[in-house]
Amino acid sequence: MLKIFNTLTRKKEKLIPLVNGKIKIYVCGVTVYDLCHLGHARTFLAFDTIIRYLHHCGYQVNYVRNITDIDDKIIKRAHENNETTKKLTNRMIKEMHLDFDALNILRPNYEPKVTDHIDIIIKFIHLLIQKKHAYIAPNGDVMFSVKTMRNYGILSKKKIPDIHNVSKNPNIKNPSIDFVLWKISKPGEPYWLSPWGAGRPGWHIECSAMNHSIFGNQLDIHGGGSDLIFPHHDNEIAQSVCAYNMPCAKVWIHSGMLLLNHEKMSKSSNNFLTIRDILRRYDPETIRYFLMSAHYRNQLKYNDNSLNNARASLKRLYIALRDTKTNTEIKLSSEDYFISKFISKMNDDFNTPEAYSVLFDIAHKLNDLKIKRHSLTPKIAATLKYLANTIGLLYQNPEIFLKKIALKNNKKFNFKKIERLIKRREDARNNNQWELSDRIRNKLTIMGITLEDSSTGTTRWHFNNTIHVTKNN
């Protein structure tokens, strides 16, 4: 039975869906004003792993991840770029998809944008005003009255006297705690018409309104980074309870922060590395492995040593898979020892570090079986690939991955050039140009490349104890 740590109750609970066999999950997405950084990758890889495992468990998952495409940062950046907010956000959404696709992050079933849901947001705010949970401030902004919400701060466990919100506006009733639902636009800013004037939604209301319009009064799981617990998710709960007398989610899941220089990776503090930056230096699967090497709820420190260790760990797994045939017709059972052990680790709040350890146990067993040429080798290889695929790993051809690792480790070598030289040598051999063939081989030897020809039409080349295969046509 799958157990998940619920931030709301601070304990692990059995996952019992609202509707048998189906899971509704909403995750707070990106504010698209710039390229995504590695902290974003950590959060959405955590939920990608969770979604993948829920699929593995047989659940029909409806996964929604929103996009914030209007806010102060977006307006400021668009102004700096001398472009419209829509042009900026559409461009950044494309870039986000490129980065997430590179990391093999599954796209959600639905990716609602705030600007496509203004009408439902206005209706939600109107309901809160009707129920006396919101008011219009003298400057025209619509504010949520926090003190009208019983048990406000139930998620973060903060009490109202302890809360010091960022707002210092003297026009609102409780400047230390009330938050904006509808913000009157300044001259030159984008706006939408509303009963309270031309403006745009506040940040917190957008998720409550879209969430309710898509899923109704309640969903199974609501998630995001741990930095959203307060105030964003506390405010979502307050809005949903006050509007519909129903908390918006049964289970709240929060991923731990990625730390750079001992601080949370964040663009607002100029302490970040973009996903694009890291993809230039490391294979996407290496990044994925690293970001899930700590439990998803724990903080994770970024450093090059950790990424290099992740690369070495993946290399070990791929070396174990190399030269094996994972027959798709091999039948695997959840009762098999390794599969059962892996499932027990993942059922314990998606414990990927412990699941990794099972993968290495399988790799160790597989290496022993390969040496002995044991008949169980294909089944164990299939088990390793099947379980790793469950969490988005080992999806590449081992030879291709190992070749890419060699490329990343040895930038002075042009591997496309090596492939071209090997092809030229093979053409020379086919045309009985043995002198040219020998010259090319000697050139490769000087580069540190050792060739191994086979009778099957393939050439293996070795570099730094890594084997690569070139198929000759």
Side-chain angles (χ1 to χ4, degrees), residues 61-244:
V61 182
N62 188 2
Y63 174 30
V64 174
R65 186 182 69 211
N66 78 296
I67 293 174
T68 297
D69 62 340
I70 186 68
D71 86 332
D72 290 342
K73 293 176 183 177
I74 291 170
I75 294 170
K76 182 175 183 291
R77 181 59 56 85
H79 178 73
E80 292 170 350
N81 295 351
N82 194 28
E83 61 183 332
T84 65
T85 55
K86 186 172 183 179
K87 184 177 180 180
L88 169 66
T89 56
N90 284 344
R91 181 162 51 84
M92 287 300 107
I93 289 169
K94 289 180 181 178
E95 298 296 340
M96 176 190 75
H97 285 150
L98 284 173
D99 287 341
F100 287 4
D101 289 349
L103 294 174
N104 196 26
I105 296 176
L106 298 173
R107 294 201 184 187
N109 299 91
Y110 185 40
E111 208 167 28
K113 296 191 294 186
V114 173
T115 57
D116 291 336
H117 293 79
I118 299 296
D119 287 346
I120 66 162
I121 292 171
I122 289 173
K123 289 177 182 178
F124 202 111
I125 295 171
H126 184 68
L127 181 59
L128 288 171
I129 292 174
Q130 280 186 323
K131 293 192 172 186
K132 310 298 184 184
H133 294 292
Y135 61 93
I136 302 170
N139 69 343
D141 289 350
V142 181
M143 307 299 298
F144 183 88
S145 180
V146 168
K147 287 186 177 179
T148 67
M149 163 63 182
R150 186 184 303 173
N151 295 327
Y152 178 80
I154 191 172
L155 190 66
S156 65
K157 310 307 179 191
K158 291 179 180 287
K159 302 298 181 183
I160 287 180
D162 302 323
I163 295 169
H164 300 284
N165 211 333
V166 295
S167 175
K168 302 298 182 184
N169 190 335
N171 292 315
I172 60 181
K173 294 181 180 179
N174 299 293
S176 65
I177 56 176
D178 290 351
F179 57 88
V180 67
L181 300 174
W182 186 260
K183 187 172 185 178
I184 298 300
S185 292
K186 298 174 184 176
E189 291 184 342
Y191 67 86
W192 289 262
L193 298 178
S194 80
W196 318 289
R200 62 183 188 272
W203 177 37
H204 310 299
I205 192 65
E206 66 185 52
C207 285
S208 292
M210 289 190 291
N211 193 334
H212 184 268
S213 71
I214 296 165
F215 290 124
N217 285 351
Q218 195 172 32
L219 65 151
D220 296 283
I221 299 171
H222 195 316
S226 58
D227 57 334
L228 299 184
I229 295 174
F230 176 82
H232 186 52
H233 287 163
D234 267 331
N235 290 348
E236 278 195 62
I237 291 174
Q239 291 164 159
S240 295
V241 170
C242 289
Y244 294 102

Side-chain angles (χ1 to χ4, degrees), residues 391-404:
I391 54 176
L393 296 175
L394 302 189
Y395 53 86
Q396 301 182 67
N397 179 294
E399 297 292 354
I400 292 174
F401 175 82
L402 293 170
K403 185 178 294 186
K404 286 194 292 187

Side-chain angles (χ1 to χ4, degrees), residues 335-437:
E335 296 181 0
D336 290 348
Y337 172 74
F338 286 123
I339 294 178
S340 176
K341 189 175 180 182
F342 181 91
I343 289 173
S344 71
K345 303 301 183 184
M346 288 298 292
N347 277 349
D348 184 15
D349 195 28
F350 312 105
N351 195 331
T352 52
E354 290 295 321
Y356 281 5
S357 69
V358 176
L359 297 182
F360 284 102
D361 289 344
I362 300 171
H364 180 73
K365 178 73 172 178
L366 180 56
N367 286 328
D368 286 345
L369 293 174
K370 284 166 62 178
I371 292 171
K372 298 173 184 176
R373 300 190 177 185
H374 197 283
S375 61
L376 281 176
T377 300
K379 182 176 182 179
I380 298 302
T383 300
L384 175 56
K385 190 169 180 64
Y386 167 71
L387 292 178
N389 286 175
T390 298
I391 54 176
L393 296 175
L394 302 189
Y395 53 86
Q396 301 182 67
N397 179 294
E399 297 292 354
I400 292 174
F401 175 82
L402 293 170
K403 185 178 294 186
K404 286 194 292 187
I405 291 300
L407 173 63
K408 292 292 185 182
N409 282 336
N410 302 277
K411 293 182 180 179
K412 67 178 181 179
F413 292 104
N414 186 327
F415 282 78
K416 288 184 179 179
K417 180 180 179 181
I418 292 169
E419 294 282 0
R420 287 196 298 268
L421 286 171
I422 292 173
K423 178 64 169 59
R424 282 182 57 199
R425 175 178 174 271
E426 185 60 26
D427 290 341
R429 284 161 56 86
N430 290 337
N431 293 320
N432 297 320
Q433 296 175 299
W434 305 113
E435 184 178 348
L436 175 59
S437 171

Side-chain angles (χ1 to χ4, degrees), residues 278-334:
I278 306 304
L279 283 170
R280 293 189 185 99
R281 298 168 54 196
Y282 295 95
D283 176 86
E285 194 171 355
T286 295
I287 299 169
R288 184 182 183 98
Y289 183 100
F290 160 67
L291 291 173
M292 292 308 298
S293 60
H295 191 279
Y296 80 88
R297 284 192 286 114
N298 293 343
Q299 292 182 338
L300 178 65
K301 294 180 181 179
Y302 171 87
N303 59 66
D304 286 337
N305 284 339
S306 295
L307 275 160
N308 291 332
N309 290 337
R311 183 162 55 192
S313 296
L314 267 180
K315 184 176 177 181
R316 286 170 54 198
L317 295 175
Y318 272 113
I319 287 173
L321 278 178
R322 188 174 61 195
D323 297 327
T324 64
K325 294 181 179 180
T326 52
N327 191 334
T328 56
E329 295 180 0
I330 293 175
K331 292 184 178 180
L332 302 175
S333 169
S334 60

